[in-house]
Amino acid sequence: MKEVGDITKMPRGIDRGLAGCHVCHKVAPVSVERCPRCGSHLHLRKKDSIARTLALVVASAVMYVPANILPIMNFRELGVRTESTIISGLIQFWNAGSYPIALVIFTASILIPFMKIASLLWLCAAAKGKIPNSGKTLGKVYWITELLGRWSMVDIFVVAILVTMVQLGNYMRVTPGPGALAFASVVILTMFAAMSFDPKLLWDQLDSPPEKTGPNPDNEP
Amino acid sequence: MICHFCDTIHEAEPIPEGSRVSCVCCDATLYQNRPASLARVTSFSVTALLLMLVVHTAPFITMDAADLRTKLTLPGAAMTLIEEGSPIVGVGVALFTIVTPFVLSSGLVYVCAPLMFGKSAPGAMTVTRWMNRTEPWNMIEVFLLGVLVSLLKLGHLAELHFGIGFWAFTVLMFCMAAATAAIDRQELWDRLEVANEK
């Protein structure tokens, strides 16, 4: 392997006007606009990456509230109606002694969405240079965020299955609640947010630290 | 080659089958040479398509409670959600568990099978581009976890029987995972490029 020097002084595509196609990975000068192999749009950095990511993250953070407060399912047993939120379902499993399954639901439905929102905000702040940045660590954070996103969908599928299975006439029925829609939109919005974030921005920030033109007035006595 | 995570330029060199190269700057995997990629992708995707037939027709689970019998199938679950007042969630479930896996595996067969013989199917590049986009939305393994959680919820309530659909779905999950894990993007695109030039 080649000798690894200072990782902030690696030859970057952006310095030479070369773009790696996002779809087929071919390297081409960005000036040709479309990838000569697969025809996808070429760009050095994803367009308005931070603004788009932030917008989607804020939207999903807003939806996170009703997703946890509103019932995701309504149970109707012999005419008695009980509402079930994500947290009440979790508590039910915990009280019944099914700790492993309670942990799975806690991780997929509460922890992962929360961590995704938090880590995307962290990534955006780091890419903007507002907080210290280590490309390697944050790159991993980004990779994990993208990887885990889909697993939060599990609660929506549980709703789908219960609604289908528990249709026992007057004896017992399950219907979907408004929380399900809110929760599904959190998952989908965070997935789009993760996709619109460009991890290369983290490295741009490392290559050219706080690029303020002229002396910073705050540092002058 | 340019790293997709940190934009570092690398010189591409052929590497032995089954090995991988990582970015010198950020350690992300740059390229992995996967053995017999096209043959594996095609065979696993064909199997997945056949299994889908079974999965969508045979019930996953049947539940007997109070003289009533209910069945779970994937299209059935999506339809019930739509009928019970959550049309958007229902369409979402159908998209992530029925449409996406189908588009993905049929697309893979369409592109990879002719490529094994050095031919490119009409519009193969467009199809490959679209598959790239649909891949993260394939959620069948997540649905299987959902089935298991629901079983635990329903277990004390009624008598449950696993149907053929459930076992077919489990195998389908492994086939889809094996098919997507066998894709060698670099090789796929290189071969597409060569086949299109002919």
Side-chain angles (χ1 to χ4, degrees):
Chain A
M1 207 79 221
K2 279 159 250 159
E3 197 180 300
V4 180
D6 183 356
I7 54 168
T8 60
K9 291 192 180 63
M10 293 280 170
R12 310 284 188 204
I14 195 168
D15 303 328
R16 305 188 190 173
L18 289 173
C21 173
H22 271 270
V23 179
C24 75
H25 293 206
K26 193 175 180 74
V27 177
V30 71
S31 50
V32 298
E33 284 180 11
R34 281 188 177 276
C35 173
R37 175 151 74 178
C38 72
S40 310
H41 254 291
L42 284 178
H43 35 73
L44 292 171
R45 297 293 176 263
K46 289 178 190 167
K47 204 168 156 263
D48 303 328
S49 168
I50 294 183
R52 281 186 196 192
T53 311
L54 274 180
L56 289 162
V57 169
V58 169
S60 57
V62 170
M63 294 308 274
Y64 191 67
V65 178
N68 280 293
I69 294 175
L70 295 176
I72 53 167
M73 283 183 273
N74 302 309
F75 286 90
R76 197 191 295 268
E77 195 170 1
L78 296 172
V80 184
R81 205 177 130 115
T82 37
E83 291 180 337
S84 165
T85 59
I86 290 174
I87 294 171
S88 77
L90 182 68
I91 293 170
Q92 231 174 32
F93 271 125
W94 189 263
N95 288 342
S98 329
Y99 302 117
I101 205 73
L103 272 179
V104 169
I105 298 182
F106 175 73
T107 314
S109 308
I110 297 173
L111 201 60
I112 293 181
F114 182 78
M115 298 273 281
K116 275 187 82 173
I117 293 173
S119 62
L120 282 167
L121 285 175
W122 181 23
L123 287 167
C124 283
K128 277 249 179 197
K130 305 267 191 228
I131 52 169
N133 171 4
S134 143
K136 240 179 200 174
T137 324
L138 288 184
K140 293 249 156 57
V141 169
Y142 174 70
W143 184 72
I144 293 170
T145 308
E146 237 196 343
L147 198 77
L148 287 182
R150 312 169 319 138
W151 289 93
S152 312
M153 228 25 174
V154 70
D155 244 325
I156 297 301
F157 293 146
V158 171
V159 173
I161 296 163
L162 289 188
V163 168
T164 315
M165 297 289 285
V166 190
Q167 292 296 341
L168 307 173
N170 290 328
Y171 174 63
M172 194 175 186
R173 268 172 75 87
V174 179
T175 48
L181 181 57
F183 190 80
S185 58
V186 172
V187 180
I188 294 170
L189 285 169
T190 50
M191 281 180 74
F192 275 122
M195 284 176 199
S196 51
F197 183 76
D198 193 336
K200 290 173 186 170
L201 293 169
L202 295 170
W203 294 94
D204 291 349
Q205 190 55 233
L206 284 176
D207 289 346
S208 57
E211 10 138 330
K212 289 200 173 112
T213 42
N216 191 338
D218 295 338
N219 290 343
E220 309 241 337
Chain B
M1 264 185 118
I2 288 185
C3 173
H4 262 257
F5 284 89
C6 67
D7 207 21
T8 304
I9 304 176
H10 297 78
E11 197 84 46
E13 285 164 25
I15 56 166
E17 263 195 0
S19 61
R20 71 164 82 196
V21 279
S22 307
C23 173
V24 289
C25 170
C26 72
D27 286 344
T29 303
L30 271 183
Y31 167 60
Q32 206 169 356
N33 188 339
R34 288 164 168 162
S37 147
L38 290 176
R40 284 191 195 185
V41 172
T42 314
S43 49
F44 279 119
S45 305
V46 170
T47 319
L49 282 173
L50 293 174
L51 284 167
M52 274 177 209
L53 276 179
V54 183
V55 167
H56 295 329
T57 46
F60 267 59
I61 301 160
T62 46
M63 182 175 91
D64 291 313
D67 298 332
L68 284 163
R69 166 170 281 206
T70 49
K71 287 178 188 157
L72 173 72
T73 59
L74 271 178
M79 277 312 292
T80 327
L81 276 179
I82 294 170
E83 282 162 11
E84 294 286 329
S86 266
I88 303 175
V89 183
V91 170
V93 169
L95 271 180
F96 300 145
T97 59
I98 305 173
V99 179
T100 315
F102 177 74
V103 169
L104 202 56
S105 33
S106 54
L108 284 173
V109 174
Y110 182 77
V111 173
C112 292
L115 263 193
M116 278 197 290
F117 306 101
K119 292 196 180 73
S120 158
M125 286 207 173
T126 321
V127 174
T128 315
R129 270 212 319 264
W130 273 96
M131 282 189 316
N132 230 29
R133 237 177 244 183
T134 49
E135 212 190 314
W137 302 100
N138 169 24
M139 296 195 189
I140 51 172
E141 68 274 38
V142 184
F143 188 84
L144 192 65
L145 181 63
V147 173
L148 296 177
V149 172
S150 319
L151 285 181
L152 289 166
K153 277 202 177 193
L154 293 171
H156 59 276
L157 198 87
E159 210 175 313
L160 299 165
H161 306 281
F162 289 95
I164 298 170
F166 178 79
W167 304 113
F169 191 78
T170 314
V171 182
L172 170 65
M173 189 199 83
F174 282 110
C175 281
M176 292 289 297
T180 45
I183 307 174
D184 187 328
R185 266 162 240 284
Q186 207 73 25
E187 187 190 341
L188 181 61
W189 280 107
D190 285 344
R191 281 183 189 245
L192 269 178
E193 197 175 22
V194 173
N196 270 6
E197 273 165 10
K198 270 185 206 159

